[in-house]
Amino acid sequence: MLSYSSSTDFELTNLLRKGDNNAFNEIYKRFQGLLYVYACKVIKDKEEAEDIVQEVFLYLWDKRATINITSTISVYLYTAVRYKFFNLLDRKKVRINYEDSFRQFLEQGEYITDNNIRQKEFSKLIEQEIDALPDKMREVFVLSRKHYLSRKEIAEQLGISEKTVKNQINHALKILRGKIDLFTFLLLLFNK
């Protein structure tokens, strides 16, 4: 009967390639503790070190038939731990970059959203104030500012003089400026 504990690393590796579970168990017993100590020195986190060592052994068993070990099993295992460590660093870096990017988006997104909400509220208030203007003044103002008609065009369309159009627009602007200045002041006051 074959004694796995007295077998060389080379013999165990050959048996492992053939799917020998006992050979795998012996390799695990020989190297798990040493790899864990090595991983702890490299990683400085015991749980992550343990996870990496387990991943290396899982990979070793899963790929036992196709694994290409060009030197010794010990060199292969130590290299695999180091490789997993670098993968972990890359994942952490990506995660940190993602977290930074997400945090930046939230900070800027909140600012942008807040500004959009304020702008919509402000536009709504202006529309309400325009709607509150006297009928004829509102009609003149809307034709001027929303439909971009000239004073002459408005005067012809409404059958009034250009001077009346000018006066109505100026008066509407004066009313709206007073209201807008009040709204701007209130917005600044409550958003500090």
Side-chain angles (χ1 to χ4, degrees), residues 15-33:
L15 291 169
L16 173 69
R17 282 193 185 111
K18 295 175 185 173
D20 190 320
N21 191 40
N22 291 325
F24 174 78
N25 289 337
E26 183 60 33
I27 292 169
Y28 184 85
K29 278 195 285 188
R30 285 185 190 181
F31 294 103
Q32 187 275 333

Side-chain angles (χ1 to χ4, degrees), residues 26-167:
E26 183 60 33
I27 292 169
Y28 184 85
K29 278 195 285 188
R30 285 185 190 181
F31 294 103
Q32 187 275 333
L34 296 170
L35 289 174
Y36 175 71
V37 170
Y38 174 68
C40 283
K41 286 180 182 177
V42 173
I43 297 170
K44 310 286 190 245
D45 182 309
K46 291 180 180 182
E47 287 181 16
E48 287 181 346
E50 189 176 328
D51 289 346
I52 283 178
V53 171
Q54 292 303 319
E55 285 178 32
V56 166
F57 279 109
L58 281 171
Y59 183 82
L60 180 66
W61 179 251
D62 286 344
K63 303 295 181 183
R64 64 191 175 276
T66 59
I67 206 156
N68 184 20
I69 301 174
T70 55
S71 57
T72 64
I73 187 77
S74 62
V75 170
Y76 175 83
L77 292 172
Y78 282 102
T79 304
V81 167
R82 199 166 50 251
Y83 176 77
K84 290 283 185 188
F85 168 68
F86 289 128
N87 278 347
L88 176 69
L89 286 180
D90 286 344
R91 283 195 311 266
K92 281 186 175 185
K93 184 178 180 186
V94 167
R95 189 181 317 131
I96 288 168
N97 288 343
Y98 173 77
E99 288 170 358
D100 289 345
S101 174
F102 189 64
R103 188 177 307 106
Q104 185 179 8
F105 167 76
L106 287 177
E107 289 168 1
Q108 289 177 349
E110 188 175 306
Y111 174 75
I112 291 167
T113 302
D114 194 38
N115 279 345
N116 286 343
I117 290 170
R118 279 194 208 128
Q119 185 178 358
K120 285 179 184 178
E121 288 175 358
F122 195 65
S123 294
K124 185 177 173 185
L125 288 172
I126 291 172
E127 288 300 318
Q128 287 174 348
E129 290 305 317
I130 291 172
D131 289 343
L133 292 172
D135 292 342
K136 201 57 143 174
M137 187 183 295
R138 181 180 63 246
E139 186 177 14
V140 169
F141 187 80
V142 167
L143 289 171
S144 170
R145 295 303 191 256
K146 290 187 178 181
H147 297 285
Y148 308 105
L149 297 181
S150 68
R151 289 183 195 158
K152 184 178 181 180
E153 291 170 323
I154 295 170
E156 288 173 3
Q157 187 173 336
L158 298 179
I160 56 177
S161 71
E162 285 185 49
K163 185 173 174 148
T164 303
V165 171
K166 179 182 176 185
N167 290 339

Side-chain angles (χ1 to χ4, degrees), residues 2 6-16 23:
L2 181 62
S6 60
S7 296
T8 66
D9 292 347
F10 182 74
E11 291 170 332
L12 289 172
T13 303
N14 284 334
L15 291 169
L16 173 69

Side-chain angles (χ1 to χ4, degrees), residues 161-178:
S161 71
E162 285 185 49
K163 185 173 174 148
T164 303
V165 171
K166 179 182 176 185
N167 290 339
Q168 291 287 338
I169 292 172
N170 287 340
H171 193 60
L173 287 172
K174 186 176 179 183
I175 292 170
L176 292 174
R177 273 192 209 109

